[in-house]
Amino acid sequence: MPAAIAASDPLADSPAQDLPETIFPGDNLVRRGWCTVAKDKARAAAPHKLYYELHGQDEPTSHRMVFTMGLNNSSFAWHNQVSHFARLSGYSCLVFDNRGVGWSDTPPGAYSTSEMARDVEDLLDFIGWKEERSINLVGVSMGGMIAQELALLIPTRIRTLLLTSTRSGSRFDPPSLKAINMFGRLTTGLAKTPEEQVRLVADTLFPEEWLSGSVEEEGEWKGKTRREMVEADFLYRYHIGRRQTLGGRLGQLAAVFKHRVSPERLALIAEQIPRVAIIHGTEDNLIRVQRAHELHKDLPGSHLKIVEGGGHALPSQIKQEYNAWLSEHAEREEAK
């Protein structure tokens, strides 16, 4: 796959043969590689690298979509969005692996969503996305928490803030039994085979009723169960990706547990960002739907969409509806 890697950063100037295999289509690839972040010694003892890919039409007038992924998941989980938006005229898509997962580095210690947001700010500076009101910032789960912190860091650059299956952290959710079972078995190694691991993840991220239904869309999966389709997708990403270390898993988990954006700070986001929208499923096993209602209340003027029967992984479960929701807000001319 051809890739144009920026030469301004020696850590991103890698020969094509050194680049990892990617899940994203190459016909609209602009560049991919690594960006060095956290160069300020006040932030970290040593800098680290983020892996990123930029697809679509990279123009100042484009709808620039920044996709921020959740806990223990790489940017490859955004493939349903990148394959859609990168082919549309007037869209560009930036995806990246957060610190501690995928092809990005795993610095030691417990992470925080505020520091991870500063990683993203460094990446945006690196690729040159600095114009005012030029970014549509999309975050799912932990990525939505990072997006809240980033919105407070660079409010004038952000046009829309699109929060998926996430929370402010000001209220504590005891984990569901499914979540405890998944994290426990994955962290302790009790789920030994890739097949066992992806089944655990699928059972937690998607409602059982949806998984047991049949695929209706045209294509190779039509007539098979959604579980078969989802687990095959997870296994493919598992085998072309890089295993997350225990340090990366625990570092990201610490960031989620420590995340706190107060109602006062949320009100500041609502005041500074022209358009804020929230989407959440009623059957979310990781973050209760009530957190979306609280976010909506604490973000005056925000737009709330509740998906009946929706699980945690809405970008995959309702990909067409989700992509349409993103387009609706990214393309809307008026502010709130």
Side-chain angles (χ1 to χ4, degrees):
M1 176 180 295
I5 306 303
S8 56
D9 185 338
L11 289 173
D13 189 19
S14 304
Q17 63 267 25
D18 292 342
L19 290 167
E21 184 178 359
T22 181
I23 197 172
F24 300 114
D27 47 348
N28 292 291
L29 175 68
V30 178
R31 57 195 277 195
R32 69 184 182 114
W34 288 268
C35 166
T36 306
V37 301
K39 296 177 183 178
D40 183 353
K41 291 198 176 293
R43 283 184 56 195
H48 57 274
K49 295 179 293 180
L50 293 189
Y51 176 76
Y52 74 94
E53 297 197 25
L54 179 58
H55 294 258
Q57 295 180 351
D58 184 27
E59 303 291 342
T61 55
S62 296
H63 298 294
R64 289 174 165 172
M65 312 294 289
V66 177
F67 292 101
T68 313
M69 186 38 64
L71 180 69
N72 305 145
N73 212 344
S74 80
S75 59
F76 289 0
W78 289 117
H79 67 87
N80 288 313
Q81 283 63 58
V82 173
S83 62
H84 172 75
F85 285 104
R87 291 190 172 100
L88 296 182
S89 176
Y91 273 88
S92 54
C93 304
L94 175 66
V95 291
F96 57 93
D97 292 340
N98 289 308
R99 62 165 74 179
V101 77
W103 296 102
S104 290
D105 287 343
T106 301
Y111 305 158
S112 69
T113 53
S114 57
E115 270 302 313
M116 296 172 85
R118 295 184 72 178
D119 289 350
V120 184
E121 181 185 15
D122 287 350
L123 175 59
L124 292 171
D125 290 347
F126 172 73
I127 66 168
W129 284 11
K130 299 181 181 182
E131 292 88 351
E132 290 194 2
R133 303 296 178 223
S134 62
I135 292 170
N136 300 286
L137 180 59
V138 184
V140 60
S141 193
M142 182 187 74
M145 302 175 200
I146 295 169
Q148 293 164 48
E149 293 285 1
L150 185 60
L152 288 161
L153 275 177
I154 56 168
T156 61
R157 294 197 220 178
I158 297 173
R159 186 177 183 276
T160 61
L161 175 63
L162 303 168
L163 302 173
T164 306
S165 308
T166 194
R167 61 182 176 85
S168 69
S170 57
R171 297 161 185 87
F172 177 71
D173 264 338
S176 68
L177 291 177
K178 280 193 172 183
I180 292 171
N181 181 54
M182 179 187 72
F183 286 119
R185 293 178 65 83
L186 290 177
T187 302
T188 59
L190 288 175
K192 293 182 170 55
T193 68
E195 289 76 15
E196 289 178 286
Q197 293 169 26
V198 300
R199 179 163 285 261
L200 268 175
V201 173
D203 284 340
T204 307
L205 297 186
F206 301 96
E208 176 56 40
E209 183 178 354
W210 182 82
L211 286 171
S212 61
S214 296
V215 177
E216 298 176 357
E217 298 90 347
E218 294 296 329
E220 63 175 310
W221 295 103
K222 185 174 182 179
K224 298 182 181 179
T225 67
R226 297 190 186 105
R227 177 183 288 281
E228 291 176 287
M229 178 180 68
V230 164
E231 292 186 2
D233 173 51
F234 282 176
L235 279 172
Y236 175 62
R237 286 193 272 132
Y238 179 94
H239 288 301
I240 71 167
R242 184 166 68 171
R243 303 290 77 74
Q244 187 180 30
T245 66
L246 180 60
R249 187 179 297 276
L250 295 178
Q252 289 197 350
L253 197 59
V256 169
F257 280 125
K258 292 190 298 180
H259 176 71
R260 298 288 184 278
V261 177
S262 67
E264 293 76 19
R265 296 175 74 214
L266 289 172
L268 188 59
I269 290 174
E271 180 184 324
Q272 294 180 314
I273 306 300
R275 190 171 189 85
V276 180
I278 303 154
I279 189 170
H280 211 114
T282 58
E283 306 303 314
D284 192 327
N285 287 314
L286 290 178
I287 299 177
R288 296 178 182 179
V289 68
Q290 184 58 30
R291 302 292 84 83
H293 290 285
E294 291 163 354
L295 268 176
H296 178 49
K297 175 177 174 290
D298 291 337
L299 288 162
S302 61
H303 304 261
L304 176 63
K305 182 179 178 67
I306 299 298
V307 180
E308 292 295 328
H312 191 67
L314 295 177
S316 297
Q317 182 183 343
I318 57 163
K319 57 188 178 183
Q320 293 178 343
E321 181 182 349
Y322 184 76
N323 291 345
W325 178 79
L326 294 177
S327 295
E328 173 195 348
H329 292 289
E331 296 179 12
R332 195 171 288 265
E333 290 297 329
E334 70 271 18
K336 298 173 180 174

